[in-house]
Amino acid sequence: MTAPGGGPPGRAREPGPNPRNGSGQGRGNEPGPGAERHGEETPGPPPALLERVSLAALSWLRAHLTDFRLPERVTDPHVDRNTTLKPLGELAQLTLSTLRSSPPGSEQHRLSREMLDFAWRETGRGDLFLSLVRGEPHATYPMELYGAFAEAGLRHAAFEEYARFAVTTRAWQLCEYEPTRALGLFNTLRRMGVATHGSVGLGGTEAAEHAELARRTWLGGLAEPWAFEVHAGYAMTHHVFHVTNWGEAPAQLPADLGEHLARWLPPWLDGCVECEQWDLTGELLAVAACLPEPYARAVPVADAWHAFAGAQNVAGAVAEDGPPPVRETADTFLDCYHSTLVAAFAGVLAADRLRTPASAPAGTGAGTPAGTGGGGDPGHAPAPAPVRHRAAAAPTGAGPHAPHVTTTAPGGGRP
């Protein structure tokens, strides 16, 4: 898998920063169009559209569940992790998110539960992660993949015992990461309940360490918004996902970043829609649903949602870029699975935020443990806790993306 700080290889047409007025230049963080509206509530997308997009996406994914199956010798170093472990890890992350944010009893909830349980079984109920670290003792990607399962209450005691040891080693503490990936790894260890102090090479308290990591990223450092392009866009979306625990705790996003995103998401969305960058468009729509109040309802996303829905084919698939897939081919799954997962996540999360009263608290804090129930194995870990669903008066959701599995320096590519 690619590092959370990267994006897909640059396309022929990069999304521009401000297609509404063509400026693209300017003075640092000069507000984009609609910045004066960041304190106002704007009309959201129709709930029926969000429900239709998310349900169609989940249905397509369920129909392609066998394509997520791992090969028998998945631990063989010659097996491509990016076409085996990566899709399964992303399936786990995103179905955990849609499970939490969808109403219990809904079809979205049922499909999410089924696919998350499938992903856990494919890992041998966690045995796979122990096998991976036996072959690569200092690799971080097994923990990054495991994080979603651990937060779902699907745990493997022996692997977690290894993890608690690994983070105390100098090799772990001195490993160099891209800032956005380091931020994601910090959140992974928190989700596992493994002490994070010192685990990514920075001293000080956990809070100070996290703040320092967050300010070293493209978004945290408030890079000039007109410098937005595909790779920066994925780094930005993943900063938000890691800090808010994939949409679970919007209040964890600092106010200055909330205001910055409320100003600049509209032109960034316009640029991605214009260039038909649907995977990144979906992630930006998910980011809009992760913002704390008052910013979440101030970003005009209805037009982008209509365009995004138009990029979904009748079966529910969304291509990473370009027109909807017309017919299934041998390449359709790898071309579409990630964008379709993002469509499901963004749609469910956005619909959940619409059901939440504007006056309700924006989040419950990223440190609150949560499980999703089912699929546990008493021989591997304690029974999982029940799913924590985001109720109308007390939002809690969660959400997407498994990390890069490469053991070399994290580089570009879609997270």
Side-chain angles (χ1 to χ4, degrees), residues 3 48 78 211 297 323 373:
H78 296 99
R297 298 169 197 270

Side-chain angles (χ1 to χ4, degrees), residues 112-194:
S112 300
R113 171 78 273 168
E114 183 178 347
M115 290 190 282
L116 179 60
D117 287 344
F118 163 86
W120 179 239
R121 290 193 302 272
E122 281 296 294
T123 71
R125 292 181 165 81
D127 286 344
L128 171 64
F129 301 109
L130 201 57
S131 297
L132 290 170
V133 295
R134 283 170 177 159
E136 300 177 81
H138 299 292
T140 62
Y141 74 86
M143 292 191 204
E144 294 171 273
L145 292 167
Y146 178 75
F149 295 112
E151 193 168 7
L154 304 170
R155 312 189 74 123
H156 191 284
F159 177 72
E160 294 194 16
E161 182 180 1
Y162 164 80
R164 285 189 291 272
F165 159 75
V167 299
T168 68
T169 64
R170 291 189 299 277
W172 182 281
Q173 296 174 25
L174 298 174
C175 194
E176 299 178 4
Y177 305 101
E178 202 171 44
T180 304
R181 187 171 184 189
L183 192 63
L185 185 57
F186 188 103
N187 192 46
T188 292
L189 298 180
R190 182 203 59 75
R191 299 167 87 187
M192 291 174 59
V194 175

Side-chain angles (χ1 to χ4, degrees), residues 247-284:
E248 180 190 16
Q252 298 298 320
L253 193 71
D256 63 331
L257 297 190
E259 181 172 1
H260 184 76
L261 290 168
R263 293 184 177 202
W264 289 101
L265 274 174
W268 292 342
L269 272 167
D270 282 353
C272 288
V273 168
E274 180 180 314
C275 294
E276 298 185 326
Q277 290 276 1
W278 301 121
D279 189 72
L280 186 52
T281 296
E283 293 209 7
L284 292 176

Side-chain angles (χ1 to χ4, degrees), residues 8-393:
R11 313 293 185 181
R13 300 175 64 210
E14 289 278 0
N18 200 343
R20 288 182 175 178
N21 62 15
S23 65
Q25 305 297 322
R27 302 179 298 277
N29 294 341
E30 180 179 345
E36 70 282 354
R37 302 181 61 188
H38 74 265
E40 303 174 13
E41 185 167 338
T42 61
L49 180 145
L50 299 176
E51 296 292 327
R52 184 172 71 250
V53 168
S54 64
L55 181 56
L58 287 167
S59 298
W60 184 88
L61 293 162
R62 175 60 185 83
H64 285 263
L65 207 53
T66 56
D67 291 315
F68 287 97
R69 288 195 181 279
L70 296 177
E72 186 176 346
R73 297 177 57 83
V74 67
T75 58
D76 188 314
H78 296 99
V79 171
D80 185 359
R81 307 291 202 250
N82 291 305
T83 59
T84 55
L85 287 171
K86 177 178 183 287
L88 188 74
E90 291 172 335
L91 179 71
Q93 282 278 40
L94 286 156
T95 54
L96 168 64
S97 305
T98 54
L99 180 66
R100 283 186 167 165
S101 296
S102 56
S106 67
E107 187 67 0
Q108 286 95 328
H109 198 79
R110 184 190 69 79
L111 290 169
S112 300
R113 171 78 273 168
E114 183 178 347
M115 290 190 282
L116 179 60
D117 287 344
F118 163 86
W120 179 239
R121 290 193 302 272
E122 281 296 294
T123 71
R125 292 181 165 81
D127 286 344
L128 171 64
F129 301 109
L130 201 57
S131 297
L132 290 170
V133 295
R134 283 170 177 159
E136 300 177 81
H138 299 292
T140 62
Y141 74 86
M143 292 191 204
E144 294 171 273
L145 292 167
Y146 178 75
F149 295 112
E151 193 168 7
L154 304 170
R155 312 189 74 123
H156 191 284
F159 177 72
E160 294 194 16
E161 182 180 1
Y162 164 80
R164 285 189 291 272
F165 159 75
V167 299
T168 68
T169 64
R170 291 189 299 277
W172 182 281
Q173 296 174 25
L174 298 174
C175 194
E176 299 178 4
Y177 305 101
E178 202 171 44
T180 304
R181 187 171 184 189
L183 192 63
L185 185 57
F186 188 103
N187 192 46
T188 292
L189 298 180
R190 182 203 59 75
R191 299 167 87 187
M192 291 174 59
V194 175
T196 54
H197 175 61
S199 62
V200 283
L202 293 175
T205 65
E206 287 188 11
E209 181 183 2
H210 187 267
E212 173 66 18
L213 284 173
R215 290 301 175 183
R216 288 172 50 207
T217 69
W218 189 89
L219 175 63
L222 293 177
E224 291 81 1
W226 43 261
F228 180 91
E229 42 73 48
V230 169
H231 290 80
Y234 280 102
M236 181 276 292
T237 61
H238 280 73
H239 178 119
V240 175
F241 297 151
H242 297 320
V243 170
T244 66
N245 197 34
W246 312 99
E248 180 190 16
Q252 298 298 320
L253 193 71
D256 63 331
L257 297 190
E259 181 172 1
H260 184 76
L261 290 168
R263 293 184 177 202
W264 289 101
L265 274 174
W268 292 342
L269 272 167
D270 282 353
C272 288
V273 168
E274 180 180 314
C275 294
E276 298 185 326
Q277 290 276 1
W278 301 121
D279 189 72
L280 186 52
T281 296
E283 293 209 7
L284 292 176
L285 290 170
V287 165
C290 290
L291 295 182
E293 301 297 354
Y295 310 111
R297 298 169 197 270
V299 180
V301 294
D303 288 348
W305 264 112
H306 281 288
F308 188 65
Q312 188 176 47
N313 73 7
V314 293
V318 179
E320 285 197 3
D321 57 13
V326 176
R327 60 183 180 275
E328 297 275 330
T329 69
D331 298 325
T332 299
F333 175 74
L334 288 179
D335 289 345
C336 297
Y337 86 88
H338 184 268
S339 304
T340 307
L341 277 166
V342 169
F345 167 65
V348 168
L349 189 61
D352 192 36
R353 290 304 294 268
L354 287 180
R355 290 189 295 267
T356 305
S359 59
T364 58
T368 307
T372 59
D377 185 338
H380 290 77
V387 62
R388 182 180 60 191
H389 174 67
R390 190 193 320 225

